């Protein structure tokens, strides 16, 4: 949907499978990701959408983030891939991930964070390497959701919600 009058009226634009899982506003561009298709981008406030799939492998899309003018998409069982609007191909970014099953993907503007069945990982874009950040979590935790807020990171798991400062990764299970 798009509104041209401050939200008083809304017009349906397009979402082929009605399963939007991520929506990002990045400067003039809007990016959207659905469970099984996309990503798409719009540079006209959502009136028209361009398909960015290109050579992105098939698979369930689980997350999307934009960092340093690159678009990152996580695919369940296929890992994390990056591209840019100017690039014509997707590039695998999986060095340091023990297996290819990211469930969630977020950014703090400096790093990417991926949640997986075996914990949480931080991506260092200058080295293109993922490193584990869950050393102080005492149980094996499947990370289903990552939320970043005011220099804190929250991990949603079946055991509960873990919280840490972004500079320490000293995890506390919230009551």
């Amino acid at each position: 949907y798009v509104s041209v009058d401050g939200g008083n009226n809304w017009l349906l634009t397009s979402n082929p499978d009605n399963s939007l899982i991520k929506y990002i506003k990045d400067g003039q561009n809007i990016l959207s990701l659905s469970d099984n298709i996309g990503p798409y981008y719009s540079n006209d406030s959502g009136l028209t959408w361009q398909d960015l799939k290109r050579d992105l492998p098939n698979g369930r899309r689980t997350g999307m983030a934009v960092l340093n003018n690159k678009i990152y998409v996580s695919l369940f069982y296929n890992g994390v891939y990056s591209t840019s609007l100017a690039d014509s191909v997707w590039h695998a970014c999986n060095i340091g991930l023990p297996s290819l099953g990211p469930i969630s993907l977020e950014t703090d503007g400096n790093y990417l964070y991926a949640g997986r069945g075996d914990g949480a990982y931080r991506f260092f874009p200058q080295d293109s390497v993922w490193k584990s950040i869950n050393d102080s979590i005492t149980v094996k935790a499947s990370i289903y959701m990552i939320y970043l807020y005011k220099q804190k990171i929250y991990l949603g798991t079946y055991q509960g919600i873990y919280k840490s400062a972004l500079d320490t990764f000293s995890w506390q299970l919230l009551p």
Side-chain angles (χ1 to χ4, degrees):
Y1 289 90
V2 65
S3 175
V4 294
D5 61 4
N8 292 321
N9 295 290
W10 292 88
L11 303 169
L12 178 63
T13 57
S14 60
N15 181 4
D17 73 348
N18 295 319
S19 64
L20 184 68
I21 61 170
K22 190 77 180 234
Y23 187 78
I24 298 172
K25 176 104 168 86
D26 183 46
Q28 297 273 338
N29 297 311
I30 301 169
L31 298 146
S32 72
L33 184 70
S34 294
D35 191 29
N36 292 307
I37 61 172
Y40 291 92
Y41 87 97
S42 173
N43 59 9
D44 60 8
S45 299
L47 294 174
T48 61
W49 293 90
Q50 314 301 315
D51 190 352
L52 288 177
K53 183 178 185 307
R54 302 174 185 143
D55 65 337
L56 185 66
N58 290 326
R60 181 175 156 226
R61 281 95 169 105
T62 58
M64 178 173 62
V66 176
L67 178 63
N68 300 332
N69 296 314
K70 287 189 178 180
I71 303 161
Y72 293 86
V73 171
S74 56
L75 302 172
F76 199 61
Y77 298 122
N78 283 323
V80 178
Y81 290 81
S82 72
T83 192
S84 70
L85 293 178
D87 203 348
S88 61
V89 297
W90 287 88
H91 308 277
C93 306
N94 297 307
I95 297 171
L97 287 177
S99 64
L100 304 178
I103 300 168
S104 60
L105 193 65
E106 289 295 334
T107 183
D108 65 0
N110 296 307
Y111 302 97
L112 290 177
Y113 298 87
R116 297 175 13 85
D118 62 353
Y121 294 81
R122 180 164 71 171
F123 182 72
F124 294 78
Q126 66 276 15
D127 301 323
S128 295
V129 172
W130 291 94
K131 294 184 180 174
S132 173
I133 59 171
N134 47 262
D135 292 339
S136 66
I137 297 177
T138 57
V139 297
K140 182 181 177 188
S142 292
I143 311 300
Y144 293 99
M145 182 63 69
I146 297 175
Y147 180 70
L148 301 162
Y149 183 71
K150 293 187 177 182
Q151 296 302 305
K152 301 273 191 257
I153 182 170
Y154 299 84
L155 305 177
T157 74
Y158 281 131
Q159 291 85 16
I161 298 173
Y162 286 88
K163 172 185 166 185
S164 174
L166 283 172
D167 60 349
T168 65
F169 301 115
S170 179
W171 298 102
Q172 170 191 7
L173 182 61
L174 298 178

